[in-house]
Amino acid sequence: MKVLVILYKGGKAAQEEPRLLGTVENKLGLESWLKGLGHELIDSKEGPDSDFQKHIVDAEVLITTPFHPGYLTRDLVEKAKNLKLCITAGVGSDHIDLNAAVDHRVQVLEVSGSNVVSVAEHVVMSILLLVRNFTPAHEMVERGDWQVSDIARNAYDLEGKVVGTIGAGRIGYRVLQRLKPFDCKELLYYDYSPLPPAAAETVGARKIDDLKDFVSKCDVVTVNCPLHEGTRGLVNAELLKHFKKGAWLVNTARGAICDKDAVAAAIKSGHLNGYAGDVWNVQPAPKDHIWRTMKNPLGAGNGMVPHYSGTTLDAQARYASGVRSILENYFSNKPQDPQNVIVGIGKYETKAYGQR
């Protein structure tokens, strides 16, 4: 069996740190095991003449990550005559044309929950970076300057602020849990279904049913929902008009949920005081991507980083183990854990896909 793994080159860091499992060099720790079972493991190289393009035509299993993904388009699915299983080493399979997977009876699985804690922690960190105006303060000391007023004029406490999450699934709920000790004025959430009463009471969160009403109440909005047809471009110029002036926005879900130009315009005008996250509408992001350099009128408000929130060393250990478990089940014809299944054979498993 041919197993195609699309990972990113870790370079010197991956050579020095074997726990960087999500790299070409370390291959999720699967190489020896798969070869011992008699399977062929091929790691991808990028570009039109890549191993991905060459071997997708006869690979049976495709493994990729959401952090530096190989984009499995409908055209590639149609060329992949032997493809039966796609595994995302992590959470979020929007780099795969899921409709094409359904049409061609290709299963799509994720390692559900493998990095929810990692991402939730990154969300809270990003909120604090923006609210406390941390990045320009650090850049100031690197330059050798010391003008406290330039930083303090745009630095706030999180206590007493209204914070809301778009999406209160596995990640969104954990964000709310971690925000509760900050004594925010109120914690809100917008979701298609309510939290169980006991869970909502535990974090003290209130559901808002109208999205425009929701964002108008929040000092901080964090996006924690999956990317699909209903959420692509959800945060656009029209919705941004309803944000509080000076609000902060954090997105660690998927870059395409937020309109990149509308966000940049809102930052430039000062309507948004800051935007942070690690997800981009195209990954890797082009060097001239506007989110790399956008600033508010005070020269701050940018907390963007590469897509790494869900690929800490701890998360990599979890999703590498999960990938192996999925493969073991597949090789032995055992049923998969239902929470990992995004697309079954010829059908969506919408319950799993709706949770993030």
Side-chain angles (χ1 to χ4, degrees), residues 67 125 143 150 155 215 263 282-283 291 297 299 313 342:
F67 312 107
M125 177 187 73
R143 292 193 306 268
D150 283 352
V215 300
V263 166
V282 177
Q283 297 185 167
W291 284 359
L313 293 179
I342 307 305

Side-chain angles (χ1 to χ4, degrees), residues 49-60:
D49 299 320
S50 67
D51 283 343
F52 180 33
Q53 298 284 334
K54 177 182 177 182
H55 292 284
I56 192 64
V57 297
D58 60 352
E60 183 170 333

Side-chain angles (χ1 to χ4, degrees), residues 210-274:
D210 181 80
L211 183 57
K212 292 178 180 178
D213 183 37
F214 167 81
V215 300
S216 73
K217 297 178 184 298
C218 294
D219 299 297
V220 180
V221 173
T222 170
V223 180
N224 299 291
C225 60
L227 174 64
H228 50 69
E229 288 87 348
T231 60
R232 186 178 298 274
L234 181 68
V235 181
N236 53 29
E238 173 59 28
L239 184 64
L240 285 165
K241 293 177 184 177
H242 296 270
F243 275 63
K244 284 185 179 181
K245 181 174 173 55
W248 298 275
L249 177 59
V250 173
N251 178 14
T252 58
R254 285 297 180 268
I257 295 173
C258 296
D259 182 302
K260 72 178 180 66
D261 295 319
V263 166
I267 293 290
K268 184 178 180 180
S269 71
H271 187 71
L272 279 183
N273 200 7

Side-chain angles (χ1 to χ4, degrees), residues 9-196:
K9 293 181 180 179
K12 183 179 179 182
Q15 296 167 10
E16 295 176 348
E17 177 50 82
R19 291 178 296 174
L20 280 168
L21 294 170
T23 60
V24 167
E25 291 81 358
N26 296 320
K27 300 179 180 62
L28 296 170
L30 297 174
E31 186 171 32
S32 297
W33 173 65
L34 283 173
K35 289 184 176 179
L37 294 175
H39 302 301
E40 182 182 7
L41 178 67
I42 298 169
D43 58 84
S44 170
K45 297 180 178 64
E46 296 178 55
D49 299 320
S50 67
D51 283 343
F52 180 33
Q53 298 284 334
K54 177 182 177 182
H55 292 284
I56 192 64
V57 297
D58 60 352
E60 183 170 333
V61 177
L62 171 67
I63 303 170
T64 186
T65 76
F67 312 107
H68 190 134
Y71 290 92
L72 188 67
T73 62
R74 176 174 286 274
D75 179 60
L76 288 176
V77 172
E78 291 173 351
K79 292 178 181 177
K81 303 301 183 183
N82 293 338
L83 189 62
K84 294 183 173 61
L85 176 65
C86 295
I87 304 173
T88 297
V91 177
S93 295
D94 48 274
H95 52 281
I96 297 169
D97 188 320
L98 298 177
N99 291 328
V102 171
D103 293 343
H104 290 268
R105 302 178 66 80
V106 176
Q107 295 184 78
V108 180
L109 281 83
E110 299 179 352
V111 187
S112 182
S114 59
N115 54 21
V116 293
V117 169
S118 310
V119 177
E121 289 183 357
H122 193 100
V123 171
V124 176
M125 177 187 73
S126 297
I127 291 172
L128 289 169
L129 285 173
L130 290 179
V131 172
R132 299 307 297 259
N133 209 22
F134 176 86
T135 301
H138 180 69
E139 291 172 345
M140 176 180 284
V141 297
E142 282 191 323
R143 292 193 306 268
D145 297 334
W146 193 280
Q147 189 62 45
V148 174
S149 59
D150 283 352
I151 303 303
R153 66 177 176 172
N154 198 31
Y156 298 83
D157 295 336
L158 186 55
E159 183 178 55
K161 302 296 185 294
V162 178
V163 184
T165 173
I166 298 176
R170 295 185 181 98
I171 294 173
Y173 185 73
R174 283 167 173 79
V175 170
L176 294 171
Q177 283 181 315
R178 284 154 178 76
L179 289 173
K180 187 177 181 182
F182 285 92
D183 292 327
C184 297
K185 181 179 181 180
E186 193 170 19
L187 295 177
L188 305 176
Y189 72 98
Y190 172 83
D191 208 322
Y192 62 88
S193 62
L195 289 168

